[in-house]
Amino acid sequence: MKIEKGKLYAVITGDIVGFSKLPEVQRQLLDRIMKEGSKAVRKAFKGSIPLEVDVFRGDSWQLLISDIAVSLKVGLFLRAHLRATMGTGKFDTRMAIGIGTVDFVPDDRVSKGDGQAYRHSGNALEQMTKASNMCFRFPEREIIEESIDVLVHLIDVLARNWSDKQALAITGVLQGLKQEKIGSLWKPPITQQSVNRHLQRAGWFAMEKAIGFFKKQLSEAVI
């Protein structure tokens, strides 16, 4: 993959919470679910995710994003997709969003790349405590990092309580779909009012403002 020197990229490094304690059937399904999640997130954010989500060591994964301003939405979409697809509120993934330059990325696997964004993301995941499932690192811009990391932790509090139905509704709005359209895609379809209730219980309307603030801050960082 061709890397632009000096350009800021986002790398998200994650792992599955309590993987070894998951029921065997869920552990067996995970590889397929992650591949489906990779296709879904690349389709939802066309042009921003140059390579497939890379799964390694069984329960770890990594994702490269060329547009740092959408990195939070991408991470939340993948998290919601996994929760909705696995069909249990107990299933979750941790993730660390790291912003920085990238030195190189082989065409075959994201996890073989290196650079600031990789180190920020990987180190942050290693240092993450059990109290949180999301964090943000951008050491080159300390003021941005401090405010955004607090924001990400607050979003995580909401996301940890998503039910599978709430997570499914979240995947829809993160793609920019109208509530009526989201409801029509369910099997069986549900009403717009039902979708709205799922989004309210998921904390979406507060989360939406936080995502907007994140996008504004990161967009200004690359100017």
Side-chain angles (χ1 to χ4, degrees), residues 151-193:
L151 193 73
V152 168
H153 276 79
L154 291 173
I155 290 175
D156 174 53
V157 173
L158 295 172
R160 275 183 285 174
N161 293 317
W162 287 341
S163 68
D164 55 332
K165 292 181 179 179
Q166 291 166 6
L168 184 57
I170 290 290
T171 63
V173 290
L174 286 174
Q175 295 178 74
L177 300 180
K178 299 294 184 181
Q179 293 180 20
E180 293 84 354
K181 179 63 175 179
I182 295 171
S184 71
L185 296 174
W186 284 42
K187 298 179 181 179
I190 62 174
T191 65
Q192 176 271 325
Q193 290 81 3

Side-chain angles (χ1 to χ4, degrees), residues 95-120:
M95 63 180 69
I97 304 171
I99 307 296
T101 56
V102 169
D103 297 332
F104 61 86
V105 183
D107 289 334
D108 57 343
R109 297 196 67 176
V110 171
S111 65
K112 293 181 179 179
D114 191 28
Q116 287 179 340
Y118 278 91
R119 291 189 285 273
H120 296 336

Side-chain angles (χ1 to χ4, degrees), residues 23-222:
E24 182 180 346
V25 64
Q26 287 191 334
R27 283 183 277 120
Q28 290 178 340
L29 282 174
L30 185 58
D31 183 63
R32 177 175 64 80
I33 297 301
M34 288 298 297
K35 288 179 180 177
E36 291 176 355
S38 177
K39 291 179 181 178
V41 74
R42 295 188 77 194
K43 181 179 179 181
F45 299 92
K46 290 180 180 178
S48 297
I49 305 174
L51 298 172
E52 297 287 344
V53 177
D54 190 359
V55 181
F56 54 99
R57 293 202 304 265
D59 67 335
S60 299
W61 57 272
Q62 205 158 49
L63 178 62
L64 177 69
I65 306 165
S66 58
D67 180 3
I68 64 173
V70 301
S71 56
L72 178 58
K73 288 183 72 174
V74 167
L76 286 171
F77 178 90
L78 185 58
R79 185 176 182 181
H81 178 85
L82 293 174
R83 290 281 286 272
T85 306
M86 294 297 280
T88 172
K90 294 182 180 180
F91 180 86
D92 208 350
T93 183
R94 301 192 309 158
M95 63 180 69
I97 304 171
I99 307 296
T101 56
V102 169
D103 297 332
F104 61 86
V105 183
D107 289 334
D108 57 343
R109 297 196 67 176
V110 171
S111 65
K112 293 181 179 179
D114 191 28
Q116 287 179 340
Y118 278 91
R119 291 189 285 273
H120 296 336
S121 178
N123 291 338
L125 186 68
E126 290 180 1
Q127 296 167 10
M128 193 184 299
T129 67
K130 293 182 179 180
S132 178
N133 286 340
M134 289 180 69
C135 67
F136 174 84
R137 291 294 178 269
F138 191 4
E140 287 72 30
R141 307 285 177 88
E142 289 186 16
I143 296 177
I144 293 178
E145 181 188 70
E146 184 176 1
S147 59
I148 294 297
D149 189 45
V150 171
L151 193 73
V152 168
H153 276 79
L154 291 173
I155 290 175
D156 174 53
V157 173
L158 295 172
R160 275 183 285 174
N161 293 317
W162 287 341
S163 68
D164 55 332
K165 292 181 179 179
Q166 291 166 6
L168 184 57
I170 290 290
T171 63
V173 290
L174 286 174
Q175 295 178 74
L177 300 180
K178 299 294 184 181
Q179 293 180 20
E180 293 84 354
K181 179 63 175 179
I182 295 171
S184 71
L185 296 174
W186 284 42
K187 298 179 181 179
I190 62 174
T191 65
Q192 176 271 325
Q193 290 81 3
S194 294
V195 173
N196 187 269
R197 283 195 294 272
H198 287 310
L199 292 174
Q200 286 186 359
R201 292 167 182 167
W204 166 250
F205 300 102
M207 195 177 295
E208 183 179 24
K209 292 184 178 180
I211 291 172
F213 178 79
F214 179 97
K215 182 177 181 179
K216 182 176 184 294
Q217 292 295 303
L218 271 292
S219 295
E220 293 176 351
V222 298

